[in-house]
Amino acid sequence: MNKFVKLAVFSYFYPADFEIMNFIRLPFLVKLTLVVISIIGLGYLLALGESILAPFFLAFLMAMLFLPVATFLEKRLRFTRSLSTITSVLIMLTILTGLIYFFGSQLSDFSKDIPHLREQFTKVFNDLQEWVSKTFHVKIDEQLDYLDQGLNKLLSSSGVILGFTFGIFSTGLGFFVFFILFFIFILNYRRILNNFIVTVFNEKHKASVQEVVNEVRIMTKKYIFGLCLQVVIVSIFTSTLLTILGVKYAILLGVLTGLLNVIPYLGICIALLISCFIAFATTTPSTCIYVLIGYIGVHIVDGNIVLPFVVGSKVKINALFSFLGIIIGEHLWGIAGMFLCIPAIAILKIIFERVEGLQPWGKLLGEEEKPHKKKKKYKISKNITLEEMD
């Protein structure tokens, strides 16, 4: 213990000599223990500060998205920093108000049709019950009656449906207030925050730190913008699909699918279940099969074409850590954590890939790199060389 105290004192008074010496090599078990303790401590702090950290991180992502708008207002239109921040806030509130109005009007129409949906669903369910009884000769009247009563209660409880949908997009008035305040502060004091991150490190690392901060800021801005563009594209694809199939509330379901698609794999499954339920209640049972096939097609196009094109392969996260992130995010921050975990992992991946010593962690979070095809050279003569791909 005395050795470590002397070492700490030496590193404090002689930091340059300490970096040159670099003679300490901790055992593997000690390093592993420190890593595990750090992860547990960070997880506990994240869970403890959910009410503050969740809106702060969401405000940071939105600030990165609106940073070009604020910069344009300041440089081209000569707005002051405060005026550009207020204008960005007003633009964001206008967009959020439009989304709330859209979902409110759609859900209002949906709640009016719930009795009709319940009646039609009961009819289809009774036909299915009769077909099962005639085909398989199985006495399942009591079980089907129980399921029928449960589904009727679910459909008759419009508050449950509306409350679930509203809970996806909001976690309370306090969350929204903190989000707006953090958004204003981050945009208004972004230069101070940037200078702090750069100056907190050693002077000789200032240039490299500034480069990493700039790259992370640019890549994060591109990623968030690409994610929003992906939501729009998936919403258009899904709305068009459901409209062609004649499913009611196609636009509402399409926009809901685009937003839920931010949650990889799990989000598209939840949207598929909701769309199949509405299709089963408003159309024929065979339409559910077409909806299922269509959603699989949209997911394939999104994962292989849209996502790499608009988001970029450099920040694409593999399925394993996407699923782990969703589970951990839901455990720490609930529904908000499920939406915010993927951008958080993407930002960590960007930082890891640009910090020396952390590149393996960045590769671990990303997709497997495809090997580059090598070129073979075949000599034809002294002056001519033919290149062929493997």
Side-chain angles (χ1 to χ4, degrees), residues 373-388:
K373 293 183 178 181
K374 297 181 180 179
K375 293 182 178 180
K376 287 185 178 180
K377 297 181 179 180
Y378 298 92
K379 191 173 182 181
I380 298 179
S381 64
K382 293 181 179 180
N383 300 323
I384 303 176
T385 301
L386 175 65
E387 294 185 356
E388 293 184 358

Side-chain angles (χ1 to χ4, degrees), residues 196-211:
F196 168 76
I197 295 175
V198 174
T199 55
V200 76
F201 292 93
N202 198 297
E203 183 69 24
K204 67 177 182 178
H205 299 302
K206 183 177 292 185
S208 58
V209 171
Q210 182 65 60
E211 183 180 354

Side-chain angles (χ1 to χ4, degrees), residues 63-123:
M64 290 296 102
L65 183 62
F66 278 86
L67 184 59
V69 178
T71 304
F72 174 81
L73 293 175
E74 293 174 14
K75 291 185 177 181
R76 297 296 179 89
L77 302 181
R78 303 298 181 181
F79 281 23
T80 61
R81 177 64 57 86
S82 300
L83 186 58
S84 66
T85 301
I86 294 174
T87 306
S88 301
V89 172
L90 292 177
I91 294 173
M92 184 185 64
L93 290 177
T94 302
I95 296 174
L96 291 177
T97 303
L99 287 175
I100 293 173
Y101 175 77
F102 168 75
F103 279 103
S105 60
Q106 292 289 320
L107 290 175
S108 177
D109 296 337
F110 179 75
S111 62
K112 294 177 182 177
D113 289 341
I114 284 180
H116 174 69
L117 293 177
R118 182 175 68 248
E119 181 181 349
Q120 188 168 356
F121 186 85
T122 303
K123 179 179 179 301

Side-chain angles (χ1 to χ4, degrees), residues 139 148 162 169 180 195 220 226 241 246 252 338 349 368 389:
K139 295 181 178 179
D148 194 10
L162 296 177
F169 302 103
I180 296 297
N195 292 335
T220 303
L241 169 69
L252 173 65
M338 296 177 69
K349 181 177 181 294
E368 183 178 1
M389 296 294 293

Side-chain angles (χ1 to χ4, degrees), residues 33-210:
T33 303
L34 292 176
V35 170
V36 172
I37 292 175
S38 301
I39 293 175
I40 294 175
L42 288 175
Y44 177 75
L45 292 176
L46 289 174
L48 190 65
E50 174 188 356
S51 58
I52 297 178
L53 294 179
F56 177 82
F57 185 65
L58 180 59
F60 169 77
L61 296 179
M62 295 302 296
M64 290 296 102
L65 183 62
F66 278 86
L67 184 59
V69 178
T71 304
F72 174 81
L73 293 175
E74 293 174 14
K75 291 185 177 181
R76 297 296 179 89
L77 302 181
R78 303 298 181 181
F79 281 23
T80 61
R81 177 64 57 86
S82 300
L83 186 58
S84 66
T85 301
I86 294 174
T87 306
S88 301
V89 172
L90 292 177
I91 294 173
M92 184 185 64
L93 290 177
T94 302
I95 296 174
L96 291 177
T97 303
L99 287 175
I100 293 173
Y101 175 77
F102 168 75
F103 279 103
S105 60
Q106 292 289 320
L107 290 175
S108 177
D109 296 337
F110 179 75
S111 62
K112 294 177 182 177
D113 289 341
I114 284 180
H116 174 69
L117 293 177
R118 182 175 68 248
E119 181 181 349
Q120 188 168 356
F121 186 85
T122 303
K123 179 179 179 301
V124 174
F125 195 77
N126 290 334
D127 294 339
L128 180 63
Q129 176 183 353
E130 185 178 353
W131 177 81
V132 170
S133 300
K134 291 181 179 180
T135 304
F136 298 100
H137 304 286
V138 179
K139 295 181 178 179
I140 52 174
D141 295 339
E142 295 181 358
Q143 298 178 3
L144 292 178
D145 288 339
Y146 176 76
L147 292 174
D148 194 10
Q149 293 175 5
L151 291 171
N152 286 334
K153 290 180 180 179
L154 177 63
L155 285 171
S156 61
S157 179
S158 59
V160 173
I161 300 174
L162 296 177
F164 173 77
T165 307
F166 180 76
I168 294 176
F169 302 103
S170 175
T171 55
L173 181 60
F175 182 95
F176 182 76
V177 172
F178 277 122
F179 163 70
I180 296 297
L181 291 176
F182 285 137
F183 179 81
I184 295 173
F185 293 148
I186 291 173
L187 267 186
N188 200 44
Y189 299 107
R190 60 183 183 271
R191 188 169 298 172
I192 296 177
L193 296 174
N194 180 78
N195 292 335
F196 168 76
I197 295 175
V198 174
T199 55
V200 76
F201 292 93
N202 198 297
E203 183 69 24
K204 67 177 182 178
H205 299 302
K206 183 177 292 185
S208 58
V209 171
Q210 182 65 60

Side-chain angles (χ1 to χ4, degrees), residues 26-35:
L26 296 176
F28 172 75
L29 289 178
V30 176
K31 291 183 179 179
L32 181 62
T33 303
L34 292 176
V35 170

